[in-house]
Amino acid sequence: MTSVVLVGTLDTKGVEYGWLREGLRRAGIEVVMVDTGVMGEPRVPADVPRAEVARAAGADLAGLRAAADRGAAVTTMARGAEATLLRLHAEGRLHAVLAIGGSGGTSIATRAMRALPLGVPKVMVSSMASGDVSPYVGSSDITMMYSVVDIAGLNTISEPVLANAVAAVAGMARARERAGPALRRPAPLGSGSRPLVAASMAGVTTTGVDAARERLTALGYEVLVFHVSGTGGRTLETLAGQGVFAGVLDLTLSEIADDLCGGILTAGPDRLTAAGRAGIPQVVSLGALDMVKFGPLESLPERARYRRVRVHNPSITVIRTTEAECAELGRRVAAKLRTATGPTEVCVPLQGLSTLGAPGGPYHDPAADRALFSALREGLRGSAAAVRDYDTHINDPAFGRAAADRLHAVIRAGRAAA
């Protein structure tokens, strides 16, 4: 029978979880209730009681209560929930998972959800879902639903929201179960007949990356494209670190510019390091290093208001990186690539790094670009990384195809050397 796991604090949210359970049962879904509460008494019975969840984390429920440390309790029960959901999934008792909560409940449930395989339906109804959900979602496929009101009782607003969540997770679970074992237990990433390649892309580098993707597909690769939104770059780094890629085509590095200049879409200081550390062949370019991304125009920091500003869309405003910033970006990219243990090449599009930076575009700045290129070359001097110049801009399809061909060449060279 199709089974949905409900995971949450049954002391503070017990009534609401009981309502969810009844709704799922009326829909013909089997329910496994997992209690992650600590202090108060559960309002409804659990199939996996809180003491068992605590033990799964190597802890004792009585000790958690005695310590009366909410932060430690949340961390411990999140760890226990993760172990519990992984066990239920291995036993075939979890076809989907649903949770509700505020900041604490969301933190506990989403840690457990993130540990589940890609494709397992994961629905989180949260009062935190209208803000920055990246700490909760990470690089997983969690579906976040905004609760509108806090999860504090059943009322004319919360009931239809929760009813939608019940319908959504029931439909997802049934669809996954009907799809059969191949979907329920997909092969690990990178285990298929077509080698996996990662590519990085932004709207301002789409044409070039699309040309590269099409070329790599024709060469027999499966290409996974990651949007450089901060989360996208972190996901690319995570998967590269797991060794699932045959190669990485990292043509778009705007997250590194955001990290340097305080933009909102940084992927953190470790961006552009995992493939090199894992020895994965990589071809890198400098796409979108001519800009830093901020939020809506009215949110632009004072220090950026007198720069070259463009409204990218209602949610994103960009500024042009300066000559000094470009030089520092060149040094940072070079420092990251110098440590690579696998074949590494850099393809430099001499005529521009984005749609805005192409000749005639508002961010076309040859002096700033030259500062980037010079610092990069100087930083890679004496290293194993090769630098190749192309007298075109990054969105010329010929550049994308050339970069794809270079990645194919370094992948083949790496295999031959092995």
Side-chain angles (χ1 to χ4, degrees):
M1 189 174 182
T2 304
S3 177
V4 169
V5 171
L6 296 176
V7 55
T9 53
L10 301 189
D11 46 4
T12 60
K13 304 287 187 275
V15 172
E16 296 86 348
Y17 270 100
W19 192 92
L20 293 173
R21 177 163 57 188
E22 290 309 307
L24 287 166
R25 285 175 172 171
R26 286 195 301 272
I29 302 293
E30 182 179 318
V31 177
V32 179
M33 187 86 86
V34 176
D35 185 9
T36 59
V38 172
M39 299 307 295
E41 292 303 312
R43 304 284 296 275
V44 292
D47 301 292
V48 182
R50 56 184 61 182
E52 186 175 334
V53 175
R55 282 196 299 274
D60 173 69
L61 181 63
L64 289 176
R65 284 177 165 170
D69 184 332
R70 185 179 186 276
V74 166
T75 301
T76 300
M77 297 307 277
R79 194 166 65 247
E82 176 182 339
T84 300
L85 264 59
L86 286 172
R87 174 178 62 81
L88 292 171
H89 182 258
E91 293 171 354
R93 299 172 63 196
L94 187 157
H95 300 123
V97 57
L98 170 63
I100 58 176
S103 60
T106 303
S107 178
I108 292 171
T110 54
R111 169 168 175 167
M113 291 177 182
R114 290 194 301 272
L116 292 169
L118 183 74
V120 175
K122 314 164 185 73
V123 179
M124 181 74 231
V125 183
S126 173
S127 57
M128 307 299 291
S130 68
D132 178 11
V133 299
S134 58
Y136 305 119
V137 176
S139 55
S140 71
D141 57 341
I142 296 173
T143 299
M144 299 287 293
M145 290 180 61
Y146 183 42
S147 61
V148 184
V149 293
D150 202 357
I151 309 292
L154 300 166
N155 52 60
T156 56
I157 291 179
S158 65
E159 283 198 14
V161 171
L162 296 181
N164 284 339
V166 166
V169 79
M172 291 176 181
R174 282 203 185 93
R176 185 170 176 82
E177 185 66 10
R178 283 197 300 267
L183 180 58
R184 292 198 300 274
R185 292 183 292 277
L189 280 174
S191 63
S193 59
R194 302 173 67 204
L196 280 183
V197 164
S200 57
M201 186 171 77
V204 294
T205 62
T206 296
T207 304
V209 177
D210 273 348
R213 176 181 55 80
E214 290 167 5
R215 177 64 173 158
L216 287 167
T217 301
L219 289 168
Y221 298 94
E222 181 179 355
V223 183
L224 305 184
V225 179
F226 296 87
H227 182 209
V228 287
S229 58
T231 301
R234 286 191 295 271
T235 304
L236 188 160
E237 296 293 317
T238 297
L239 294 176
Q242 294 171 3
V244 303
F245 298 129
V248 173
L249 189 68
D250 217 342
L251 299 186
T252 313
L253 302 183
S254 61
E255 291 158 319
I256 298 177
D258 278 33
D259 189 58
L260 172 66
C261 303
I264 64 170
L265 299 184
T266 174
D270 294 330
R271 181 71 173 90
L272 194 62
T273 60
R277 191 166 53 244
I280 297 171
Q282 59 181 334
V283 169
V284 175
S285 191
L286 308 169
L289 285 180
D290 54 1
M291 64 184 67
V292 180
K293 296 178 181 177
F294 292 95
L297 180 61
E298 60 272 16
S299 70
L300 200 64
E302 185 66 25
R303 69 181 188 279
R305 292 182 180 273
Y306 304 102
R307 304 274 290 269
R308 278 185 279 177
V309 176
R310 297 283 294 187
V311 174
H312 186 60
N313 60 47
S315 300
I316 298 291
T317 305
V318 298
I319 64 170
R320 206 329 175 165
T321 43
T322 65
E323 190 171 334
E325 288 165 347
C326 283
E328 176 59 22
L329 287 168
R331 288 188 285 270
R332 291 193 177 196
V333 170
K336 292 169 185 288
L337 297 182
R338 283 190 71 92
T339 65
T341 59
T344 300
E345 292 191 5
V346 183
C347 294
V348 178
L350 298 174
Q351 296 301 317
L353 309 177
S354 69
T355 53
L356 297 179
Y363 283 0
H364 184 57
D365 187 337
D369 289 350
R370 282 195 300 271
L372 171 64
F373 305 154
S374 296
L376 173 75
R377 292 190 186 95
E378 182 61 30
L380 289 177
R381 191 184 305 277
S383 76
V387 180
R388 299 178 183 272
D389 291 346
Y390 296 84
D391 191 22
T392 182
H393 61 84
I394 197 164
N395 281 311
D396 188 322
F399 175 81
R401 289 190 290 268
D405 287 338
R406 291 312 310 156
L407 182 63
H408 181 53
V410 297
I411 290 173
R412 293 179 66 184
R415 288 173 176 170

